[in-house]
Amino acid sequence: MPHPVSDADTERLGARVLLDSPGGVLVLAGAHRRAGDDDAADAAHRTDSVFDAVCDELAWRGLPGVQIHGFADDSAPGRDVIASTGKGRAGRPDARRLSAALTARHFSVCRAWVRGCPLEGRDNVQGRRAATEHVPFLHIEFARSVRASDRQTGHAVAAIGTVTARWAKDASG
């Protein structure tokens, strides 16, 4: 989670995903994204942080990644989720699977690989590294209304689990 607290409840959602994802790794930024001057703590857009170094190592090792973000409901009216693979294409099959799982759970999903969506994460530096390494990377933005509801969060976690379970199965051979 590159923006804990700032993207309210993303850390809670991420922890729940990890609990349901055998072999997963949770990387959590250590500062509010607005700490310091000139976006000094915006972990999704900085390459000079421990957060980024850990993510680089995981991508170098070929570990697929999910980066969870949050948006204000009025940033994408009518959408619950914005799903993207950032700059890369390696995660497209997983993004399609995730999107189908979210839609099946009654979320309205903007699919960035199909049409332009706000908050696509194309400038996300961890996503760019994953693209360079040809490693699946999912940049997922959840509306505040989803993150504020325990029931909706549970549905989101279950949808993400359809992808992470597959990754765990693939990793175990």
Side-chain angles (χ1 to χ4, degrees):
M1 292 331 102
H3 307 133
V5 181
S6 175
D7 288 0
D9 294 321
T10 56
E11 63 279 357
R12 187 173 61 91
L13 200 158
R16 287 179 64 179
V17 169
L18 180 65
L19 288 172
D20 291 344
S21 301
V25 176
L26 177 65
V27 183
L28 187 66
H32 191 284
R33 77 184 299 174
R34 289 189 175 58
D37 296 327
D38 300 321
D39 295 326
D42 189 351
H45 299 102
R46 305 282 308 208
T47 58
D48 58 351
S49 67
V50 172
F51 179 88
D52 187 64
V54 171
C55 291
D56 275 358
E57 180 67 19
L58 295 171
W60 180 80
R61 291 176 184 229
L63 212 67
V66 174
Q67 199 171 93
I68 297 172
H69 296 259
F71 66 91
D73 290 353
D74 62 358
S75 295
R79 299 294 186 176
D80 300 309
V81 184
I82 299 163
S84 174
T85 59
K87 279 292 207 187
R89 294 178 176 263
R92 287 261 173 97
D94 298 313
R96 287 185 187 103
R97 203 171 292 111
L98 171 65
S99 223
L102 288 163
T103 301
R105 288 164 176 83
H106 308 289
F107 289 108
S108 172
V109 182
C110 186
R111 296 160 177 85
W113 60 94
V114 174
R115 70 184 51 82
C117 302
L119 308 168
E120 294 178 344
R122 296 197 187 280
D123 294 330
N124 181 290
V125 296
Q126 293 80 37
R128 287 176 178 260
R129 168 62 82 165
T132 299
E133 299 293 338
H134 307 289
V135 172
F137 178 83
L138 301 177
H139 181 277
I140 314 167
E141 295 267 358
F142 288 97
R144 179 68 187 126
S145 56
V146 172
R147 293 174 284 125
S149 163
D150 197 50
R151 184 175 146 283
Q152 292 284 73
T153 296
H155 291 311
V157 168
I160 295 169
T162 65
V163 174
T164 58
R166 187 179 185 109
W167 288 345
K169 182 180 174 191
D170 291 347
S172 67

